[in-house]
Amino acid sequence: MGEGMMEFETKAIHAGQAPDPTTGSVVVPIHATSTYAQSAPGVHRGYEYSRTDNPTRTALQEVLAALEGVPVGSGGGCVATASGMAATALVGYLLEPGDHLVMADDAYGGTFRFFTQVLARHGVEWTVADLTDPDSLAAAMRPATRLVWVETPTNPLLRIVDLSATVAAAHDAGALVCVDNTFATPYLQRPLEYGADLVLHSTTKYLGGHSDTVGGALVTADAGLHERLRFLQNAAGPVPGPFDAYLVLRGIKTLAVRMDRHCDNAARIAGWLADDSRVSEVLFPGLPSHPQHDLAGRQMSRFGGMVSFRPVGGAEAASRVASATEHFLLAESLGGVESLIEVPAVMTHASTAGSDLEVPADLIRLSVGIEHVEDLIADLDRALG
Ligand SMILES: Cc1ncc(COP(=O)(O)O)c(C=O)c1O
């Protein structure tokens, strides 16, 4: 059956993952090899050297392209990278000195660090805008703007950016749109369907799903961009090894069932926190009080597994609560089966201190796992004291 005919859950298990032709192995083998025997100089079976291509990585790239909805035969596809940041760096290589990019005023701190402390040294200028406000985006655009960088939901404030409107504004100005789809995953949101040029993932998160690997990926439906990214992947070399590619492939098989439980648990917890007098604010796109709740409902099939909130009592209370949970482990990262809690201002987003992206000191971010939700609520109840 053609990939285009399969539903999401079926693609996750079968796209790019046909049984191994030599053995019938139903699991894509971990091809732990750096090189491939050739029958005559330059005559090979499509694989020459594992920086350029490795069959385990090929399977991962094919399933990710299928899940993001790259049309079969479009020439688009996926390049897998050694981390989410390595994928961001490859997008940076698409830009030239004198180019300008626009990014949101809420985003992963490492992305901001890369744009402002790495790309800026290579002559790429940047402007921060509120991408939930079309006027703010319009004001940030310049004739030299080549890239608009979107996260939705944003990390850690969980704002929702209108993909259709942002793509239309960026394309009118001749800029590409890259959407970091790490928080939503293609199960909940497929930015290419809204016209985005590039989708980025930290596969470290929900795609891997088990907090046991670091990786990234870029997906595009544009044949020219795909060819350029394939060139950059090989030329710059930030590739994942076959063991890591295997772990992400394995994670992706259960993405749909895991995401449904993440979404169920997060919605329950967000509602519980919103009703608790020890909490002053809950940020979760699934709450009707969220400013972009309706947009989230249109753009995403569900609201995701991330919840941010501010406890009464300020930064000190946030630090105390985050140190007191037992099931919610105090740790950076997100998207694994186990629940995590963190204080972004001093952990994942420390690099944004003093900038337009600085996050409130009293904000707590939860990556809600797939444990029993009553245990998670009891844990938060105890920690809130
Ligand atoms: C939304 C988002 N994008 C990108 C990254 C970077 O990915 P990695 O840590 O795999 O390099 C992260 C990491 O936390 C993230 O949360």
Side-chain angles (χ1 to χ4, degrees):
M1 189 191 279
E3 268 167 28
M5 307 293 289
M6 289 190 261
E7 297 294 341
F8 187 93
E9 293 82 347
T10 315
K11 286 184 194 171
I13 291 167
H14 294 293
Q17 302 165 86
D20 182 55
T22 51
T23 62
S25 166
V26 298
V27 173
V28 173
I30 301 170
H31 288 272
T33 187
S34 59
T35 191
Y36 305 81
Q38 306 197 3
S39 55
V43 180
H44 54 75
R45 297 181 224 176
Y47 292 93
E48 293 166 86
Y49 183 60
S50 278
R51 169 162 40 73
T52 316
D53 276 308
N54 174 283
T56 317
R57 197 173 88 217
T58 302
L60 172 60
Q61 294 176 162
E62 287 183 3
V63 69
L64 275 176
L67 294 182
E68 286 291 358
V70 173
V72 177
S74 67
C78 168
V79 296
T81 55
S83 65
M85 287 317 303
T88 305
L90 284 194
V91 178
Y93 287 132
L94 296 173
L95 302 176
E96 292 177 11
D99 286 352
H100 172 253
L101 67 84
V102 176
M103 71 175 297
D105 56 2
D106 186 48
Y108 172 55
T111 306
F112 179 69
R113 179 174 55 207
F114 180 75
F115 290 157
T116 58
Q117 297 185 46
V118 182
L119 267 194
R121 292 169 57 105
H122 295 271
V124 175
E125 297 185 11
W126 51 275
T127 302
V128 166
D130 174 1
L131 294 187
T132 65
D133 170 10
D135 293 338
S136 175
L137 171 61
M141 299 297 284
R142 297 185 197 164
T145 308
R146 292 284 164 274
L147 178 68
V148 176
W149 188 275
V150 177
E151 254 179 44
T152 183
T154 63
N155 180 2
L157 297 178
L158 302 175
R159 294 184 182 143
I160 306 295
V161 176
D162 187 325
L163 288 172
S164 299
T166 307
V167 165
H171 285 181
D172 275 353
L176 296 175
V177 176
C178 180
V179 178
D180 184 334
N181 205 25
T182 299
F183 271 32
T185 84
Y187 182 57
L188 304 182
Q189 166 177 283
R190 286 178 294 283
L192 299 180
E193 291 173 2
Y194 294 86
D197 303 283
L198 292 159
V199 169
L200 179 135
H201 282 287
S202 168
T203 59
T204 315
K205 311 296 174 359
Y206 289 107
L207 295 173
H210 298 75
S211 305
D212 53 5
T213 181
V214 169
L218 286 166
V219 188
T220 178
D222 181 286
L225 265 180
H226 183 220
E227 193 184 329
R228 182 73 188 150
L229 290 171
R230 294 263 305 148
F231 169 82
L232 290 169
Q233 181 190 39
N234 182 49
V239 292
F243 293 88
D244 291 298
Y246 162 77
L247 285 172
V248 180
L249 268 174
R250 177 169 150 141
I252 285 172
K253 290 177 206 272
T254 56
L255 178 66
V257 286
R258 283 187 289 107
M259 284 314 290
D260 275 332
R261 183 59 65 84
H262 284 296
C263 291
D264 291 344
N265 285 359
R268 249 314 280 297
I269 287 173
W272 180 81
L273 287 169
D275 284 343
D276 198 296
S277 59
R278 295 165 293 179
V279 173
S280 59
E281 190 181 9
V282 182
L283 307 174
F284 179 67
L287 289 176
S289 59
H290 187 284
Q292 294 103 29
H293 174 66
D294 293 344
L295 172 62
R298 290 197 299 276
Q299 206 166 263
M300 304 170 71
S301 58
R302 301 196 64 190
F303 299 108
M306 301 297 294
V307 178
S308 295
F309 71 99
R310 304 166 89 166
V312 171
E316 212 178 298
S319 180
R320 183 175 39 75
V321 172
S323 309
T325 50
E326 286 172 18
H327 300 314
F328 280 89
L329 303 173
L330 178 58
E332 300 195 1
S333 203
L334 60 112
V337 290
E338 61 286 293
S339 292
L340 301 179
I341 189 166
E342 68 131 356
V343 179
V346 290
M347 296 174 67
T348 47
H349 289 65
S351 64
T352 63
S355 78
D356 290 339
L357 276 78
E358 184 168 308
V359 291
D362 60 348
L363 190 79
I364 290 178
R365 190 190 76 181
L366 302 176
S367 171
V368 178
I370 64 170
E371 301 95 333
H372 198 291
V373 71
E374 298 302 339
D375 288 334
L376 297 179
I377 288 176
D379 194 27
L380 290 170
D381 191 28
R382 262 193 313 271
L384 281 162

